């Protein structure tokens, strides 16, 4: 069995909100950038059964039957749901795509370019959430936490904070286990509840 896409799974979104709420408060960020892993445009186009993929906001601004399998549209849908859950005003969040390689076009906007443009748009304290990653890795810790932070400050920003990924957050562990159990069906063994995590 394969776990189906879960970009709009309520427990997945709630886990991210539990990670991001304290980071927003701690960082004092005036903007949240939801940065997803990028893909070459040709890969996304191959998955588009509607033959209407335009790689623009008009195409991805609403998830519908025509684009429900489009990775870019799903990323924007996840970001919209998170922004709503975090009570972010429309001008306080945006979406970008990181980790592109080679010369072929990848889905836009590109995170590295967006980060450099943010200070010119009045953003001084930026929080980046790599919501396309379940766990921190070189593409979050180095690409965003080091290089993007240096770029942001070098272009006039005050501070860039990298939010941790879901990693082993208890809410994500419960969500992931539930997704697996639901996919495997009623014969799947239930996880033992175990001790509750200690309060911070």
């Amino acid at each position: 069995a394969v776990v189906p896409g879960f970009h709009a799974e309520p427990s997945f979104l709630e886990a991210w909100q539990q990670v991001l709420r304290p980071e927003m408060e701690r960082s004092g960020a005036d903007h949240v950038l939801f940065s997803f892993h990028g893909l070459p445009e040709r890969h996304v186009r191959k998955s588009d059964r509607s033959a209407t993929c335009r790689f623009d906001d008009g195409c991805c601004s609403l998830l519908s039957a025509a684009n429900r399998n489009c990775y870019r549209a799903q990323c924007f849908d996840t970001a919209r749901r998170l922004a709503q859950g975090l009570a972010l005003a429309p001008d306080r969040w945006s979406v970008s795509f990181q980790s592109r390689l080679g010369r072929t076009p990848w889905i836009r906007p590109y995170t590295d370019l967006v980060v450099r443009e943010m200070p010119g748009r009045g953003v001084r304290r930026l929080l980046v959430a790599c919501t396309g990653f379940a766990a921190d890795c070189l593409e979050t810790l180095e690409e965003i936490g080091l290089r993007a932070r240096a770029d942001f400050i070098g272009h006039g920003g005050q501070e860039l904070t990298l939010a941790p990924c879901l990693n082993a957050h208890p809410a994500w562990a419960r969500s992931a286990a539930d997704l697996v159990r639901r996919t495997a069906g009623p014969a799947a063994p239930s996880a033992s509840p175990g001790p509750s995590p200690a309060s911070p």
Side-chain angles (χ1 to χ4, degrees), residues 127-151:
L127 177 67
V128 181
C130 296
T131 35
F133 296 77
D136 282 306
C137 61
L138 285 177
E139 289 171 287
T140 60
L141 300 174
E142 193 276 337
E143 184 177 358
I144 304 301
L146 297 178
R147 276 191 285 150
R149 181 176 183 272
D151 278 347

Side-chain angles (χ1 to χ4, degrees), residues 6 31 162:
F6 51 88
H31 196 90
L162 169 63

